[in-house]
Each structure stands twice: as structure tokens, then as C-alpha cells.
Amino acid sequence: MNNSLNQYVEKNKIEKSELRVFSYGRFSNLKQAKGTSLARQHESAKAWCEENGVKLDESVKFEDKGKSAFSGKNAESGELAVIMKMLASGEIAPGSILLVEAFDRLTRMDIQQGMALMMSLINGGLMIVTLIDDNLWNKETLRDLPKFMMSVMNLYRGHEESKTKSDRLQDTFRLHREKGTTQAFGTAPGWLHRDSKLHPWEVDEEKAEVVRRVFELSAAGLGSKAIAGKATEEKWPVPMRLNRTEGRWHAQMAGQILKNRAVIGEHQHRISTYEARAQYWRGLEVGEPIKDYYPPIISEELWLAARASIRTRSVAKRRDTHYYNVWSGLLYCGCCGAPIQRKNETTGHSRAQLTCADRLTGATQCRTMAASNFDATMLQAIYEHDHESFAGQAARRHGDELGALEVEIDEKRKQIDRIADAIASGGGLKAFVDKAERLENEAAELKRRWAQLKEDDAVREEGILDETFVEESMSYLYVSHNEEARQKRAHLNLRLLRVVETIWVFGYDCAFIKFNNSDEIKAVPLPAKRLPSRAKEHVSRDTWVEPPKPVWDNHFANGIVLPEPRKQKPAGWQPSTVSPALYHDEAR
């Protein structure tokens, strides 16, 4: 029988039946969910209530499963945080009793933080009973110096136990990292498994094949959302270890796979302490990536091709589901610089209308153009451009630049090592530390550039466009409800993005192409419009006269200033008047 409770009841002249009593249970590791930890804590709370003649309020359950008290997660986002909010709002009345197995169920933080948490609960009017020693803690009992010191010692002991365990675990992982062993690191990608930590990793071929398919589709031009949709439709198995979607693919899953360097056998050690995860949710990287740590399931060439494809596709953020717009991210209105949008048509010969985005809002009267008149002409013009010699020059330049970058990265690493030695022997002078950080940032930027060039070189051998590819692309350009055609169009868009930077379009007049990594702009005449839209009278070939092309003519006579292509309207934007008035619809 708890004497402190009896004294409290007698002093405040209340009945025990008036007391609200509830329990709080917690464990820090989700693996403990399979055990009886919470059940034991709950039974202890019920037994205490029966012994002391009070009723346990079981209408609410305060249980933190897998929430660390050492990091304070239970007080930040767990059920303990809920208790604190309810106490502050009055939902839990002062004088209520909270039953916990021991103080370390509430907190294992350091003395300062632990006492602050405990005092905030008690000063809010809550009484805490620790079941392990049948002590009641409230404002009155904490005025007793011996009991107060006992509470401090309990908090200190809980913190030190967790800290010692954490330190030992970190030392174990550090030693294993230094030895290069994989025994201490049991987590691996979902397409790998092993019988025990002493056995080598084995590949789950069914899941590995799914991963390869993801990379192949990405390299061909499909985005993560499109890949995930295809995977869901065809019911691919989910190749992730933590399968929390019950076998369903979500839009981010393909993207997560495409970022995981474990597919080429690399592993990056990370520190996953609470402090490290506070800086980055996956933890902080330790050391350089380790090659050949896992069995690779794709080639490095496919990895680089997929990464290059992702970087190329980032030019065009919005894309239609079926990839009909093979010019996504490239077309801009020659009159005002606004993006050109493709509006598909299911009837007629136009296939689609290429329309200035500002015309759609009524801001301009820039001319539209039928996709059927535009697509073939532009593909042929790009194919005919001497991009092969340009690609060869770029490849030679990249080869020289890659070599130079490798030398510079190696030199940066040597400088960092020398500074590390100086810091170790000289007490860690701030100037040395600052220089080391600066060199680390410079080395990281050099490595990023090196990786980008490697990705570019991985796709250069494929070439950009060839005659066969152009002809094949045209045969798939307007085919609907066909997965092969969809993938062909996605691949065509990817290859166009690799060679073309911007295309300015003057409908039924001309277009101007700026190629990547070049200041050259190529002018291309576009087919004229044969008949007015929805013509009521037929115009024979003999009497039809090709309309003038004012922009094309002006380009040869005086040159033309092209507007800056824009993805959104800058502040104070007004429609451009650079292009001739004859270009607009009302003067056709």
C-alpha cells in the first residue's frame, strides 16, 4: 500500500474513486513489439491499482512503441508528448496519477533535460508513480531532499546506461568499418539476402530483374512516375526490403531505386545516431563509398545512362502521360518567349495543335501550328545538322577534362589528409579546420562534375539521332494506346533534349534551333498552311498560292532578335513586339 498516496488523499480530503489514474508504457526498439514488454507494464499498473483501491482508466492508452527516451523522441512526437499537451490544456486534471514502470520509461535524456521534463509534468499538477519501487512523486514529495536526490540519481542512472550502450554499439560498428567486414551491418537492399551475418549476400533474381527493368526504362526516357505506373499495371514484385505498401508501387519508389548505388555494388557507411539523424534523416556519411561491398546487379554503363537520362529529363518538369509531346521542354514562342503547349486532337489531320501558352490565356494572338506540319520537318532538320562532329569534339574535350578532374580531386584529397595530420598534432587549430572544410566542399564539387561528365560519356556512344531512328520515331509518333509507342516517344524526347537546347517557333513560318554546348542557331523554314481552318470551299493545287513568310524573309534581310525563353512570367511582363505584326493571327 502506497503511504504517500494515502497521505495525499487524507490531506486533500478526497475519495480515491475521484482520482483519475492512467498508465504510460514504452519500449525503444520495434523488435520488442514481438515480446511482452508493454503487456508486463500494463499488468503492473493494474496490479498497483487493485492494491491501492483505485481504478485504472483504460479508456485511453498511452503507449510509445519504438520511441527512444534517450533521444527524447517520445516527448517530442510520441504519446508522452500527447500527455503533456493534455495536461497543459486541462484535459488531464491536476491531481491525476500517471503510472510508469520506472523513470527510464519517461526519459533517458541527460540530467538537465530529464529533470526539466519531469518537473514540467509535476509542476503541471501530475503525480507520477514509479511501479518498480512504489514511489509517488509530486510537488510535496520532491520537497523532501533525500527523495529529490533519489529522483536525480534515477534519471542519471537511466541516461548513463543508455549512453554506455550507445557508445559501445558505435565502437563496435567503427571497428567493423575499419576492418572492412560486413558482419555488423545486417541491412541490405531488398534484392539481396543471406542466411546469417557470416554468410555472403545472395541475389534474389526475381527482384533483381525488376530493378534492371527500372533502370532500362529510365535510360530509355521514362520518368519515375511512368515506371511506377507500369510496374503497378503489370504487377511487378516490390524489390524493397521495407515493403510498407503491401506490394503496391508508389510514385517515389522507382526514384528511390534509381538513386541507390547498391545496384552497382557500392555501400556508404552512415552514422545513424539521434544527433546524426537530426541533421539528415538517413544519418551522416562516414568515409568514402566502398566498392564491391554487395553483388552488383546492373552494369556501371546502365547506371550512368539512367543517371544521365534523369538529369536530361529535368529540363522538362511537366510531361503528358503518353509522351505525345516529344518536344517537351524545348519549344518556345518566337513572338513572346512563352512555352509552346501541345493540344492533342483525335480527329482531323493536324494530330495536335502547338499553341503559345500566352495565347491560351488571351494575352497574345501568336499563331498556332499543326503538329503534323511541324514534327517531321524539325526532326529532319535536327538529323541533318552536323551534330556528329560536335559530339566527337565534346567527347574529346570530356576525355581531357575527366583526366584533369581526377588529378585535381586526388590533389585535394592529399591536401585534406595533410591538414588532418596537422590538426591531430597541433590541437585542431581553427584555421586548419576551416581550410579542411573548404577543401572538402571543393572536392565534392569536383566529384559532382566528374560524375556528370561520366554520365554524358555513357550515353554519347548511343548517338543522338540517325536516319533509321528518325523514320522509326515518325511511325510511332501518333500511335495511341500502345506501350511500345509510348516508350519510343519517351526515348525520342530524351535524345532530343541531349542535343537541342531551345527551339523558337513562328507557326507556319520558320523555327530557330539552338543546340546544346554551342552558340550556333539554325534557321529552319516550316511548311505553310495549305488551307484556312474548317475551310468551306476547296482550293485546288493549281490555284493555291503559298502565303508569305515574313519572319523567314526578315531573318535573311535584317536578322531577327529572339525573345528570352521563359518558363514563368517575370514581374511586370508585357507581350513582346519583336516579331513582325504580320505574324499574328489577325493578319494571316
Side-chain angles (χ1 to χ4, degrees):
M1 193 72 67
N2 192 293
N3 291 327
S4 297
L5 177 63
N6 290 331
Q7 292 172 8
Y8 174 82
V9 169
E10 291 173 6
K11 181 178 179 180
N12 291 277
K13 298 179 180 180
I14 59 175
E15 297 292 332
K16 287 186 177 181
S17 59
E18 298 176 27
L19 295 173
R20 185 182 183 190
V21 183
F22 51 92
S23 68
Y24 171 76
R26 183 193 65 81
F27 57 76
S28 56
N29 194 323
L30 285 173
K31 292 180 181 179
Q32 293 174 268
K34 298 178 181 178
T36 59
S37 177
L38 283 180
R40 184 191 70 244
Q41 294 176 55
H42 186 66
E43 288 302 318
S44 297
K46 289 175 66 176
W48 185 90
C49 289
E50 291 175 5
E51 183 181 348
N52 288 276
V54 295
K55 184 178 180 181
L56 180 65
D57 185 349
E58 299 187 71
S59 64
V60 289
K61 274 195 173 183
F62 298 110
E63 296 177 345
D64 275 324
K65 304 174 183 179
K67 293 282 187 179
S68 171
F70 181 60
S71 66
K73 275 291 184 183
N74 62 328
E76 289 178 7
S77 57
E79 289 296 300
L80 182 57
V82 174
I83 293 173
M84 296 169 70
K85 289 178 182 177
M86 292 177 69
L87 187 63
S89 67
E91 292 179 72
I92 295 178
S96 299
I97 298 174
L98 177 66
L99 305 178
V100 296
E101 188 175 50
F103 269 135
D104 60 11
R105 293 297 174 187
L106 288 175
T107 179
R108 284 178 174 265
M109 294 186 289
D110 60 35
I111 289 293
Q112 184 179 3
Q113 293 173 302
M115 284 302 301
L117 173 64
M118 178 180 170
M119 294 308 298
S120 69
L121 292 170
I122 291 175
N123 288 333
L126 194 64
M127 296 191 291
I128 302 173
V129 172
T130 49
L131 300 173
I132 196 169
D133 52 16
D134 195 28
N135 273 320
L136 183 143
W137 309 89
N138 61 11
K139 294 179 182 179
E140 294 178 7
T141 57
L142 285 182
R143 292 192 184 100
D144 184 338
L145 183 59
K147 294 207 72 172
F148 179 79
M149 292 305 297
M150 186 190 302
S151 69
V152 171
M153 291 304 297
N154 285 337
L155 291 171
Y156 176 78
R157 187 185 68 249
H159 173 71
E160 285 301 303
E161 286 177 358
S162 288
K163 186 175 185 302
T164 300
K165 187 187 298 182
S166 175
D167 290 344
R168 286 175 180 172
L169 194 59
Q170 288 187 54
D171 286 343
T172 299
F173 281 114
R174 178 180 56 77
L175 290 172
H176 279 282
R177 285 196 298 268
E178 291 174 355
K179 292 178 181 178
T181 178
T182 64
Q183 292 182 22
F185 308 98
T187 302
W191 55 86
L192 299 176
H193 62 87
R194 61 181 176 182
D195 295 332
S196 74
K197 292 181 180 180
L198 299 177
H199 286 77
W201 294 108
E202 296 181 9
V203 177
D204 182 332
E205 280 301 330
E206 183 183 19
K207 292 182 177 179
E209 187 57 36
V210 169
V211 173
R212 294 184 194 106
R213 186 68 176 137
V214 168
F215 275 86
E216 288 166 357
L217 290 175
S218 177
L222 265 66
S224 296
K225 188 175 181 179
I227 295 172
K230 183 176 178 62
T232 300
E233 182 182 350
E234 298 181 3
K235 298 181 179 179
W236 297 358
V238 174
M240 313 292 277
R241 184 167 299 279
L242 294 177
N243 183 4
R244 297 185 177 128
T245 59
E246 300 179 353
R248 299 187 306 275
W249 284 67
H250 55 72
Q252 292 80 30
M253 193 175 289
Q256 292 169 359
I257 293 171
L258 290 166
K259 294 175 184 175
N260 194 341
R261 294 184 67 90
V263 296
I264 54 175
E266 282 191 13
H267 172 73
Q268 175 66 64
H269 287 308
R270 295 178 183 274
I271 295 177
S272 299
T273 61
Y274 170 71
E275 293 79 11
R277 287 183 177 273
Q279 296 183 56
Y280 180 55
W281 70 273
R282 293 185 63 190
L284 299 180
E285 296 181 356
V286 180
E288 295 292 321
I290 303 171
K291 295 184 180 294
D292 303 320
Y293 192 90
Y294 301 119
I297 61 171
I298 70 168
S299 67
E300 188 168 354
E301 290 75 18
L302 180 55
W303 164 269
L304 291 170
R307 298 307 306 170
S309 174
I310 292 168
R311 183 161 51 82
T312 303
R313 291 197 307 273
S314 67
V315 173
K317 297 294 184 184
R318 298 181 62 186
R319 311 179 71 168
D320 59 294
T321 305
H322 297 284
Y323 292 80
Y324 287 119
N325 188 8
V326 296
W327 307 101
S328 181
L330 295 175
L331 300 187
Y332 293 87
C333 178
C335 175
C336 62
I340 296 288
Q341 296 186 11
R342 184 186 183 98
K343 299 297 180 182
N344 292 321
E345 296 181 350
T346 56
T347 59
H349 299 286
S350 296
R351 303 292 187 178
Q353 288 293 324
L354 303 179
T355 308
C356 167
D358 284 346
R359 177 191 171 96
L360 292 173
T361 66
T364 69
Q365 289 297 314
C366 304
R367 293 181 69 180
T368 61
M369 182 169 185
S372 57
N373 286 48
F374 178 85
D375 293 336
T377 301
M378 291 307 298
L379 283 174
Q380 188 65 26
I382 293 169
Y383 161 64
E384 290 174 355
H385 177 69
D386 188 20
H387 63 275
E388 289 297 336
S389 61
F390 165 73
Q393 293 169 9
R396 287 192 294 275
R397 185 179 69 250
H398 283 186
D400 295 339
E401 191 172 352
L402 281 168
L405 284 172
E406 288 167 0
V407 171
E408 194 170 355
I409 290 169
D410 185 58
E411 181 57 34
K412 295 284 185 190
R413 182 54 54 194
K414 289 177 181 177
Q415 291 182 51
I416 291 168
D417 291 341
R418 287 196 294 270
I419 289 174
D421 292 338
I423 291 172
S425 60
L429 299 177
K430 186 177 185 302
F432 282 141
V433 174
D434 290 344
K435 186 173 182 181
E437 290 179 352
R438 177 174 58 78
L439 288 170
E440 284 283 5
N441 292 333
E442 290 174 359
E445 178 58 26
L446 290 171
K447 289 169 71 175
R448 185 199 64 76
R449 175 59 182 160
W450 181 88
Q452 180 175 318
L453 293 180
K454 290 287 286 184
E455 291 169 6
D456 288 344
D457 286 348
V459 298
R460 186 162 287 110
E461 292 182 1
E462 178 190 36
I464 304 300
L465 293 172
D466 55 54
E467 190 170 9
T468 302
F469 184 77
V470 171
E471 291 176 357
E472 187 181 56
S473 298
M474 286 302 301
S475 67
Y476 286 108
L477 211 52
Y478 311 114
V479 177
S480 59
H481 308 297
N482 183 289
E483 180 59 28
E484 184 181 4
R486 178 172 176 248
Q487 292 183 33
K488 290 285 186 182
R489 289 191 292 268
H491 193 41
L492 173 59
N493 175 244
L494 178 67
R495 294 174 78 169
L496 288 170
L497 286 166
R498 284 176 182 155
V499 70
V500 176
E501 179 181 309
T502 307
I503 300 175
W504 289 268
V505 180
F506 295 88
Y508 297 111
D509 191 318
C510 65
F512 297 87
I513 310 171
K514 185 179 186 304
F515 293 92
N516 283 321
N517 304 310
S518 173
D519 294 330
E520 178 185 357
I521 294 181
K522 180 182 178 69
V524 180
L526 295 174
K529 190 172 184 179
R530 292 283 299 186
L531 294 172
S533 298
R534 302 175 181 83
K536 296 181 179 179
E537 297 182 4
H538 176 70
V539 179
S540 69
R541 291 181 178 273
D542 297 331
T543 58
W544 180 78
V545 179
E546 182 173 348
K549 296 181 179 178
V551 180
W552 178 254
D553 295 338
N554 191 58
H555 159 66
F556 279 107
N558 307 308
I560 187 168
V561 178
L562 295 169
E564 184 71 22
R566 55 188 170 82
K567 293 190 176 181
Q568 58 184 13
K569 295 177 183 177
W573 173 85
Q574 295 295 327
S576 170
T577 57
V578 169
S579 298
L582 287 173
Y583 173 68
H584 291 118
D585 268 354
E586 65 268 20
R588 276 186 293 178

